[in-house]
Amino acid sequence: GWRRQWSDGGEISSGLPRYLIDQTNAKRIGEMSLEVSKLCYPFQVPGTHDLYRPRVAYEDGLPSGEMRRENLFYDAGNGLIIFRGEEPWFRIDIYGQAFFQALQELGVTQTVAVEGYNGACPPDLERSVNCIYSHAHMKETLEKFGLRFSNYGTQGRNGPTIGMAMVTLAHYQYPQCEMFR
């Protein structure tokens, strides 16, 4: 999951990875490289002060770690790897390469991206869960879960969410990984 998403529906997406990490006592096992931190994010956006700046820490006045973004991988056991990262602002190609390389090194072959609901939604309203997927053979299995398959972008130009972008990268550039959102 990705933190600080625009469409977050009450932390449905950005809060879920932290919740799962806490509930499963998942152990941090890795992170994306410092190069991703350098190339995929701005230092700041005018008027936001430190909202988008990377995290830093000091101990007794001395830096205790390099400036970097948090793009972390956790092992929750039983084959479940949880990713908790920051949505990139630039160079989705570099970010995607780092993400899919990590999946390959960890032996992950199937990935799900969970994203939030755009707008307020009463708790008693039945939700329609949209789905996109990276490989045609996945549809038959996914149909069993009552998902609605998205036609997003077919009527005009629509930019993808981070989950959509990663599924698209999986489809075209990383066919060894099955990914759905």
Side-chain angles (χ1 to χ4, degrees):
W2 288 272
R3 301 177 328 111
R4 295 186 188 172
Q5 291 185 63
W6 174 76
S7 175
D8 196 19
E11 290 193 323
I12 289 171
S13 53
S14 67
L16 182 59
R18 170 56 51 208
Y19 175 80
L20 291 173
I21 289 164
D22 291 344
Q23 291 299 307
T24 62
N25 289 321
K27 305 295 181 229
R28 185 171 141 184
I29 58 171
E31 63 185 296
M32 287 187 183
S33 72
L34 185 57
E35 201 65 15
V36 170
S37 292
K38 291 177 183 176
L39 297 174
C40 296
Y41 303 96
F43 180 70
Q44 80 173 32
V45 175
T48 62
H49 185 55
D50 69 344
L51 185 61
Y52 298 105
R53 291 181 183 168
R55 296 176 189 270
V56 294
Y58 302 90
E59 290 182 25
D60 201 25
L62 186 66
S64 58
E66 294 189 61
M67 288 187 296
R68 65 178 347 132
R69 302 297 176 147
E70 289 187 347
N71 288 296
L72 309 173
F73 293 88
Y74 294 83
D75 186 343
N78 297 318
L80 177 62
I81 304 295
I82 301 168
F83 173 72
R84 184 169 178 265
E86 296 187 40
E87 188 172 346
W89 282 53
F90 311 114
R91 301 297 310 263
I92 189 69
D93 58 325
I94 291 171
Y95 189 88
Q97 181 181 16
F99 182 79
F100 289 107
Q101 180 181 339
L103 296 184
Q104 184 177 14
E105 289 178 14
L106 291 167
V108 174
T109 58
Q110 190 173 71
T111 303
V112 61
V114 178
E115 294 184 305
Y117 182 83
N118 185 16
C121 184
D124 59 347
L125 180 69
E126 184 175 343
R127 272 108 174 139
S128 173
V129 179
N130 283 321
C131 179
I132 63 170
Y133 51 95
S134 62
H135 299 296
H137 68 85
M138 296 172 65
K139 186 174 185 182
E140 184 178 346
T141 301
L142 293 169
E143 284 176 323
K144 297 174 185 175
F145 299 104
L147 302 169
R148 190 177 87 201
F149 298 103
S150 178
N151 291 314
Y152 184 86
T154 59
Q155 302 299 317
R157 189 216 177 283
N158 289 313
T161 64
I162 184 63
M164 292 171 155
M166 300 308 277
V167 169
T168 304
L169 287 174
H171 177 76
Y172 287 105
Q173 296 177 26
Y174 302 95
Q176 72 279 9
C177 183
E178 293 182 351
M179 186 168 185
F180 64 98
R181 169 199 167 272

PDB file of all heavy atoms in Angstrom, residues 152-176:
ATOM      1  N   TYR A 152     -12.016   2.160 -16.821  1.00  0.00           N
ATOM      2  CA  TYR A 152     -11.420   3.471 -16.581  1.00  0.00           C
ATOM      3  C   TYR A 152     -10.557   3.889 -17.767  1.00  0.00           C
ATOM      4  O   TYR A 152      -9.755   3.103 -18.274  1.00  0.00           O
ATOM      5  CB  TYR A 152     -10.572   3.388 -15.312  1.00  0.00           C
ATOM      6  CG  TYR A 152      -9.961   4.680 -14.851  1.00  0.00           C
ATOM      7  CD1 TYR A 152     -10.669   5.550 -14.031  1.00  0.00           C
ATOM      8  CD2 TYR A 152      -8.665   5.023 -15.209  1.00  0.00           C
ATOM      9  CE1 TYR A 152     -10.100   6.727 -13.580  1.00  0.00           C
ATOM     10  CE2 TYR A 152      -8.085   6.202 -14.764  1.00  0.00           C
ATOM     11  CZ  TYR A 152      -8.817   7.047 -13.950  1.00  0.00           C
ATOM     12  OH  TYR A 152      -8.245   8.210 -13.504  1.00  0.00           O
ATOM     13  N   GLY A 153     -10.732   5.122 -18.210  1.00  0.00           N
ATOM     14  CA  GLY A 153      -9.895   5.671 -19.268  1.00  0.00           C
ATOM     15  C   GLY A 153     -10.367   5.389 -20.676  1.00  0.00           C
ATOM     16  O   GLY A 153      -9.797   5.917 -21.626  1.00  0.00           O
ATOM     17  N   THR A 154     -11.410   4.560 -20.860  1.00  0.00           N
ATOM     18  CA  THR A 154     -11.852   4.239 -22.216  1.00  0.00           C
ATOM     19  C   THR A 154     -12.658   5.374 -22.845  1.00  0.00           C
ATOM     20  O   THR A 154     -12.795   5.422 -24.063  1.00  0.00           O
ATOM     21  CB  THR A 154     -12.698   2.952 -22.242  1.00  0.00           C
ATOM     22  OG1 THR A 154     -13.831   3.125 -21.389  1.00  0.00           O
ATOM     23  CG2 THR A 154     -11.879   1.751 -21.790  1.00  0.00           C
ATOM     24  N   GLN A 155     -13.182   6.274 -22.048  1.00  0.00           N
ATOM     25  CA  GLN A 155     -13.999   7.378 -22.564  1.00  0.00           C
ATOM     26  C   GLN A 155     -13.209   8.669 -22.739  1.00  0.00           C
ATOM     27  O   GLN A 155     -13.746   9.670 -23.184  1.00  0.00           O
ATOM     28  CB  GLN A 155     -15.187   7.636 -21.617  1.00  0.00           C
ATOM     29  CG  GLN A 155     -16.069   6.433 -21.423  1.00  0.00           C
ATOM     30  CD  GLN A 155     -16.687   5.955 -22.727  1.00  0.00           C
ATOM     31  OE1 GLN A 155     -17.151   6.744 -23.534  1.00  0.00           O
ATOM     32  NE2 GLN A 155     -16.661   4.649 -22.940  1.00  0.00           N
ATOM     33  N   GLY A 156     -11.972   8.676 -22.367  1.00  0.00           N
ATOM     34  CA  GLY A 156     -11.155   9.876 -22.481  1.00  0.00           C
ATOM     35  C   GLY A 156      -9.900   9.734 -21.644  1.00  0.00           C
ATOM     36  O   GLY A 156      -9.647   8.697 -21.039  1.00  0.00           O
ATOM     37  N   ARG A 157      -9.145  10.812 -21.582  1.00  0.00           N
ATOM     38  CA  ARG A 157      -7.897  10.777 -20.850  1.00  0.00           C
ATOM     39  C   ARG A 157      -8.144  10.805 -19.352  1.00  0.00           C
ATOM     40  O   ARG A 157      -8.780  11.708 -18.828  1.00  0.00           O
ATOM     41  CB  ARG A 157      -7.023  11.983 -21.227  1.00  0.00           C
ATOM     42  CG  ARG A 157      -5.625  11.857 -20.645  1.00  0.00           C
ATOM     43  CD  ARG A 157      -5.103  13.222 -20.229  1.00  0.00           C
ATOM     44  NE  ARG A 157      -3.805  13.161 -19.612  1.00  0.00           N
ATOM     45  CZ  ARG A 157      -3.587  12.775 -18.361  1.00  0.00           C
ATOM     46  NH1 ARG A 157      -4.544  12.331 -17.618  1.00  0.00           N
ATOM     47  NH2 ARG A 157      -2.376  12.797 -17.852  1.00  0.00           N
ATOM     48  N   ASN A 158      -7.661   9.780 -18.677  1.00  0.00           N
ATOM     49  CA  ASN A 158      -7.711   9.714 -17.220  1.00  0.00           C
ATOM     50  C   ASN A 158      -6.368   9.201 -16.736  1.00  0.00           C
ATOM     51  O   ASN A 158      -5.898   8.168 -17.194  1.00  0.00           O
ATOM     52  CB  ASN A 158      -8.810   8.758 -16.739  1.00  0.00           C
ATOM     53  CG  ASN A 158     -10.194   9.318 -16.971  1.00  0.00           C
ATOM     54  OD1 ASN A 158     -10.452  10.471 -16.649  1.00  0.00           O
ATOM     55  ND2 ASN A 158     -11.073   8.521 -17.530  1.00  0.00           N
ATOM     56  N   GLY A 159      -5.762   9.916 -15.799  1.00  0.00           N
ATOM     57  CA  GLY A 159      -4.490   9.478 -15.249  1.00  0.00           C
ATOM     58  C   GLY A 159      -4.691   8.360 -14.253  1.00  0.00           C
ATOM     59  O   GLY A 159      -5.676   8.313 -13.525  1.00  0.00           O
ATOM     60  N   PRO A 160      -3.755   7.427 -14.197  1.00  0.00           N
ATOM     61  CA  PRO A 160      -3.886   6.285 -13.295  1.00  0.00           C
ATOM     62  C   PRO A 160      -3.540   6.638 -11.851  1.00  0.00           C
ATOM     63  O   PRO A 160      -2.774   7.544 -11.592  1.00  0.00           O
ATOM     64  CB  PRO A 160      -2.862   5.290 -13.847  1.00  0.00           C
ATOM     65  CG  PRO A 160      -1.783   6.170 -14.402  1.00  0.00           C
ATOM     66  CD  PRO A 160      -2.513   7.364 -14.982  1.00  0.00           C
ATOM     67  N   THR A 161      -4.110   5.867 -10.935  1.00  0.00           N
ATOM     68  CA  THR A 161      -3.661   5.900  -9.553  1.00  0.00           C
ATOM     69  C   THR A 161      -2.330   5.156  -9.506  1.00  0.00           C
ATOM     70  O   THR A 161      -1.932   4.513 -10.481  1.00  0.00           O
ATOM     71  CB  THR A 161      -4.663   5.191  -8.623  1.00  0.00           C
ATOM     72  OG1 THR A 161      -4.704   3.809  -9.006  1.00  0.00           O
ATOM     73  CG2 THR A 161      -6.048   5.816  -8.712  1.00  0.00           C
ATOM     74  N   ILE A 162      -1.658   5.164  -8.376  1.00  0.00           N
ATOM     75  CA  ILE A 162      -0.398   4.431  -8.261  1.00  0.00           C
ATOM     76  C   ILE A 162      -0.625   2.931  -8.456  1.00  0.00           C
ATOM     77  O   ILE A 162       0.151   2.249  -9.120  1.00  0.00           O
ATOM     78  CB  ILE A 162       0.345   4.737  -6.926  1.00  0.00           C
ATOM     79  CG1 ILE A 162       1.694   4.027  -6.875  1.00  0.00           C
ATOM     80  CG2 ILE A 162      -0.499   4.388  -5.719  1.00  0.00           C
ATOM     81  CD1 ILE A 162       2.688   4.452  -7.925  1.00  0.00           C
ATOM     82  N   GLY A 163      -1.708   2.402  -7.915  1.00  0.00           N
ATOM     83  CA  GLY A 163      -2.003   0.979  -8.100  1.00  0.00           C
ATOM     84  C   GLY A 163      -2.246   0.642  -9.563  1.00  0.00           C
ATOM     85  O   GLY A 163      -1.764  -0.374 -10.071  1.00  0.00           O
ATOM     86  N   MET A 164      -2.992   1.496 -10.262  1.00  0.00           N
ATOM     87  CA  MET A 164      -3.237   1.286 -11.688  1.00  0.00           C
ATOM     88  C   MET A 164      -1.935   1.345 -12.478  1.00  0.00           C
ATOM     89  O   MET A 164      -1.707   0.540 -13.388  1.00  0.00           O
ATOM     90  CB  MET A 164      -4.191   2.344 -12.233  1.00  0.00           C
ATOM     91  CG  MET A 164      -5.592   2.240 -11.725  1.00  0.00           C
ATOM     92  SD  MET A 164      -6.508   3.700 -12.265  1.00  0.00           S
ATOM     93  CE  MET A 164      -8.160   3.065 -12.265  1.00  0.00           C
ATOM     94  N   ALA A 165      -1.088   2.298 -12.141  1.00  0.00           N
ATOM     95  CA  ALA A 165       0.191   2.434 -12.838  1.00  0.00           C
ATOM     96  C   ALA A 165       1.038   1.177 -12.653  1.00  0.00           C
ATOM     97  O   ALA A 165       1.651   0.683 -13.606  1.00  0.00           O
ATOM     98  CB  ALA A 165       0.944   3.669 -12.334  1.00  0.00           C
ATOM     99  N   MET A 166       1.057   0.639 -11.446  1.00  0.00           N
ATOM    100  CA  MET A 166       1.874  -0.550 -11.190  1.00  0.00           C
ATOM    101  C   MET A 166       1.310  -1.776 -11.911  1.00  0.00           C
ATOM    102  O   MET A 166       2.070  -2.599 -12.421  1.00  0.00           O
ATOM    103  CB  MET A 166       1.988  -0.792  -9.680  1.00  0.00           C
ATOM    104  CG  MET A 166       2.637   0.364  -8.925  1.00  0.00           C
ATOM    105  SD  MET A 166       4.212   0.904  -9.588  1.00  0.00           S
ATOM    106  CE  MET A 166       5.261  -0.291  -8.827  1.00  0.00           C
ATOM    107  N   VAL A 167      -0.019  -1.913 -11.976  1.00  0.00           N
ATOM    108  CA  VAL A 167      -0.616  -3.027 -12.721  1.00  0.00           C
ATOM    109  C   VAL A 167      -0.266  -2.899 -14.203  1.00  0.00           C
ATOM    110  O   VAL A 167       0.059  -3.891 -14.863  1.00  0.00           O
ATOM    111  CB  VAL A 167      -2.151  -3.082 -12.511  1.00  0.00           C
ATOM    112  CG1 VAL A 167      -2.807  -4.052 -13.490  1.00  0.00           C
ATOM    113  CG2 VAL A 167      -2.480  -3.473 -11.074  1.00  0.00           C
ATOM    114  N   THR A 168      -0.308  -1.686 -14.729  1.00  0.00           N
ATOM    115  CA  THR A 168       0.040  -1.458 -16.132  1.00  0.00           C
ATOM    116  C   THR A 168       1.502  -1.801 -16.396  1.00  0.00           C
ATOM    117  O   THR A 168       1.832  -2.451 -17.397  1.00  0.00           O
ATOM    118  CB  THR A 168      -0.267   0.001 -16.527  1.00  0.00           C
ATOM    119  OG1 THR A 168      -1.646   0.272 -16.260  1.00  0.00           O
ATOM    120  CG2 THR A 168       0.026   0.258 -17.994  1.00  0.00           C
ATOM    121  N   LEU A 169       2.388  -1.389 -15.493  1.00  0.00           N
ATOM    122  CA  LEU A 169       3.801  -1.755 -15.631  1.00  0.00           C
ATOM    123  C   LEU A 169       3.978  -3.280 -15.584  1.00  0.00           C
ATOM    124  O   LEU A 169       4.757  -3.846 -16.358  1.00  0.00           O
ATOM    125  CB  LEU A 169       4.643  -1.101 -14.542  1.00  0.00           C
ATOM    126  CG  LEU A 169       4.889   0.399 -14.675  1.00  0.00           C
ATOM    127  CD1 LEU A 169       5.618   0.939 -13.449  1.00  0.00           C
ATOM    128  CD2 LEU A 169       5.656   0.731 -15.942  1.00  0.00           C
ATOM    129  N   ALA A 170       3.252  -3.940 -14.676  1.00  0.00           N
ATOM    130  CA  ALA A 170       3.336  -5.403 -14.591  1.00  0.00           C
ATOM    131  C   ALA A 170       2.908  -6.037 -15.909  1.00  0.00           C
ATOM    132  O   ALA A 170       3.550  -6.972 -16.390  1.00  0.00           O
ATOM    133  CB  ALA A 170       2.488  -5.926 -13.434  1.00  0.00           C
ATOM    134  N   HIS A 171       1.841  -5.520 -16.500  1.00  0.00           N
ATOM    135  CA  HIS A 171       1.323  -6.078 -17.750  1.00  0.00           C
ATOM    136  C   HIS A 171       2.331  -5.955 -18.893  1.00  0.00           C
ATOM    137  O   HIS A 171       2.587  -6.923 -19.608  1.00  0.00           O
ATOM    138  CB  HIS A 171       0.022  -5.385 -18.131  1.00  0.00           C
ATOM    139  CG  HIS A 171      -0.552  -5.841 -19.433  1.00  0.00           C
ATOM    140  ND1 HIS A 171      -1.196  -7.041 -19.572  1.00  0.00           N
ATOM    141  CD2 HIS A 171      -0.548  -5.262 -20.660  1.00  0.00           C
ATOM    142  CE1 HIS A 171      -1.582  -7.182 -20.834  1.00  0.00           C
ATOM    143  NE2 HIS A 171      -1.199  -6.118 -21.518  1.00  0.00           N
ATOM    144  N   TYR A 172       2.900  -4.771 -19.049  1.00  0.00           N
ATOM    145  CA  TYR A 172       3.746  -4.515 -20.199  1.00  0.00           C
ATOM    146  C   TYR A 172       5.235  -4.788 -19.985  1.00  0.00           C
ATOM    147  O   TYR A 172       5.938  -5.140 -20.925  1.00  0.00           O
ATOM    148  CB  TYR A 172       3.575  -3.071 -20.678  1.00  0.00           C
ATOM    149  CG  TYR A 172       2.249  -2.856 -21.367  1.00  0.00           C
ATOM    150  CD1 TYR A 172       1.224  -2.192 -20.724  1.00  0.00           C
ATOM    151  CD2 TYR A 172       2.028  -3.349 -22.645  1.00  0.00           C
ATOM    152  CE1 TYR A 172       0.004  -2.003 -21.353  1.00  0.00           C
ATOM    153  CE2 TYR A 172       0.814  -3.170 -23.280  1.00  0.00           C
ATOM    154  CZ  TYR A 172      -0.203  -2.496 -22.631  1.00  0.00           C
ATOM    155  OH  TYR A 172      -1.410  -2.321 -23.244  1.00  0.00           O
ATOM    156  N   GLN A 173       5.731  -4.603 -18.768  1.00  0.00           N
ATOM    157  CA  GLN A 173       7.178  -4.683 -18.571  1.00  0.00           C
ATOM    158  C   GLN A 173       7.640  -5.775 -17.615  1.00  0.00           C
ATOM    159  O   GLN A 173       8.810  -6.143 -17.621  1.00  0.00           O
ATOM    160  CB  GLN A 173       7.695  -3.332 -18.073  1.00  0.00           C
ATOM    161  CG  GLN A 173       7.508  -2.227 -19.098  1.00  0.00           C
ATOM    162  CD  GLN A 173       7.948  -0.880 -18.575  1.00  0.00           C
ATOM    163  OE1 GLN A 173       8.802  -0.793 -17.692  1.00  0.00           O
ATOM    164  NE2 GLN A 173       7.383   0.180 -19.111  1.00  0.00           N
ATOM    165  N   TYR A 174       6.747  -6.263 -16.749  1.00  0.00           N
ATOM    166  CA  TYR A 174       7.139  -7.254 -15.746  1.00  0.00           C
ATOM    167  C   TYR A 174       6.162  -8.429 -15.771  1.00  0.00           C
ATOM    168  O   TYR A 174       5.447  -8.689 -14.791  1.00  0.00           O
ATOM    169  CB  TYR A 174       7.217  -6.602 -14.362  1.00  0.00           C
ATOM    170  CG  TYR A 174       8.177  -5.449 -14.340  1.00  0.00           C
ATOM    171  CD1 TYR A 174       7.730  -4.139 -14.521  1.00  0.00           C
ATOM    172  CD2 TYR A 174       9.552  -5.659 -14.198  1.00  0.00           C
ATOM    173  CE1 TYR A 174       8.633  -3.071 -14.545  1.00  0.00           C
ATOM    174  CE2 TYR A 174      10.434  -4.606 -14.230  1.00  0.00           C
ATOM    175  CZ  TYR A 174       9.975  -3.314 -14.395  1.00  0.00           C
ATOM    176  OH  TYR A 174      10.865  -2.271 -14.433  1.00  0.00           O
ATOM    177  N   PRO A 175       6.118  -9.162 -16.889  1.00  0.00           N
ATOM    178  CA  PRO A 175       5.122 -10.226 -17.056  1.00  0.00           C
ATOM    179  C   PRO A 175       5.274 -11.391 -16.074  1.00  0.00           C
ATOM    180  O   PRO A 175       4.353 -12.175 -15.911  1.00  0.00           O
ATOM    181  CB  PRO A 175       5.321 -10.696 -18.498  1.00  0.00           C
ATOM    182  CG  PRO A 175       6.737 -10.302 -18.823  1.00  0.00           C
ATOM    183  CD  PRO A 175       7.009  -9.060 -18.035  1.00  0.00           C
ATOM    184  N   GLN A 176       6.409 -11.482 -15.393  1.00  0.00           N
ATOM    185  CA  GLN A 176       6.599 -12.548 -14.407  1.00  0.00           C
ATOM    186  C   GLN A 176       5.756 -12.308 -13.148  1.00  0.00           C
ATOM    187  O   GLN A 176       5.594 -13.202 -12.329  1.00  0.00           O
ATOM    188  CB  GLN A 176       8.081 -12.690 -14.035  1.00  0.00           C
ATOM    189  CG  GLN A 176       8.654 -11.573 -13.189  1.00  0.00           C
ATOM    190  CD  GLN A 176       9.058 -10.296 -13.951  1.00  0.00           C
ATOM    191  OE1 GLN A 176       8.778 -10.128 -15.127  1.00  0.00           O
ATOM    192  NE2 GLN A 176       9.728  -9.388 -13.246  1.00  0.00           N
TER     193      GLN A 176
END
